[in-house]
Amino acid sequence: AGGGNGGALGVRPAPKSLLADVSAWLVVNSMRAENVQHALLCQQNLLNVFRKSSHARLRALAEVDDSSTVVASEKQREVADSAIEVFREPVEHELSRGLPQRMAYRDKLREMAQQFGRNCTDDEKHDVAAILNAAGVKTKAGQALLKQQKGATTAALAPAVGDSEQQYDDGGTGEPDPLESRTYDGEQVQQQEQEQEQ
């Protein structure tokens, strides 16, 4: 006689713990899915920055070479090749004998930034640093950007905090706080009542 929930087949978990386990599993899996989606979004944003930069360089080359008879210089070919490389997505046809090496997405993003980021403008480098910060990739430029953002946030909040303190002091009108005057009036009334009782 096994008593309780046991029965002849063995011990079954209580329905409450089963529901808690299923709910926990669902939450953990949704968090994993969100993490993967965030990583892919950061990768797409990073590629968009590089592709916009490459597209602008290719358009600039096209405007310089309006004449079809002009032969491109070696430097122009290098610029064009490096710009086109950003748009290529190579497909490997070789089969490896073992399991492929897993690469953390942060390392992949860092590698992409090193590979394609050398031709970016300062604004684009700023965007790349912001994307890498959002992805959790630590870089010198990203750390500088974080410090700059913290400094800007602190500077922006300082006047607002001072203003709000002023508002609480006098309500922004220059008049005394009505709550303080009610408290003072209440104390005066109480003192007068005590004097009358005596």
Side-chain angles (χ1 to χ4, degrees):
N5 294 333
L9 297 176
V11 178
R12 287 185 161 174
K16 286 183 181 180
S17 69
L18 178 64
L19 289 175
D21 290 344
V22 169
S23 297
W25 181 82
L26 289 170
V27 168
V28 167
N29 276 346
S30 68
M31 289 170 60
R32 285 183 186 147
E34 291 289 329
N35 194 20
V36 169
Q37 288 175 3
H38 175 70
L40 290 175
L41 178 65
C42 289
Q43 182 178 350
Q44 288 173 353
N45 288 341
L46 200 57
L47 280 173
N48 282 343
V49 171
F50 298 138
R51 287 177 177 156
K52 284 179 184 179
S53 174
S54 295
H55 184 257
R57 282 186 287 136
L58 288 172
R59 287 186 60 128
L61 280 175
E63 289 173 5
V64 169
D65 293 337
D66 278 340
S67 170
S68 60
T69 60
V70 175
V71 178
S73 70
E74 188 64 31
K75 175 74 173 164
Q76 289 173 331
R77 284 188 192 139
E78 288 177 15
V79 169
D81 287 344
S82 68
I84 291 172
E85 188 63 32
V86 174
F87 293 97
R88 290 190 180 137
E89 293 184 15
V91 177
E92 293 183 17
H93 298 287
E94 296 177 12
L95 295 175
S96 62
R97 292 181 183 208
L99 292 174
Q101 293 287 332
R102 287 185 58 170
M103 180 184 264
Y105 81 93
R106 289 183 178 107
D107 296 335
K108 187 175 184 177
L109 293 178
R110 186 180 293 116
E111 185 179 289
M112 286 172 55
Q114 289 171 350
Q115 181 181 1
F116 301 125
R118 49 185 180 262
N119 295 323
C120 291
T121 64
D122 288 340
D123 287 340
E124 292 164 345
K125 287 179 182 178
H126 185 269
D127 293 341
V128 168
I131 293 168
L132 291 176
N133 273 342
V137 178
K138 297 195 186 311
T139 60
K140 290 180 184 178
Q143 296 302 322
L145 179 65
L146 278 177
K147 287 179 184 177
Q148 179 184 3
Q149 288 174 345
K150 285 181 183 177
T153 303
T154 305
L157 289 179
V161 170
D163 293 343
S164 64
E165 288 174 356
Q166 177 66 24
Q167 270 186 326
Y168 286 120
D169 287 345
D170 61 6
T173 60
E175 298 175 4
D177 185 12
L179 183 60
E180 286 182 18
S181 63
R182 273 189 254 139
T183 305
Y184 179 71
D185 291 341
E187 289 175 3
Q188 265 188 328
V189 168
Q190 188 177 12
Q191 281 181 352
Q192 288 174 357
E193 288 175 358
Q194 286 177 354
E195 288 175 3
Q196 287 176 356
E197 287 176 5
Q198 291 175 357

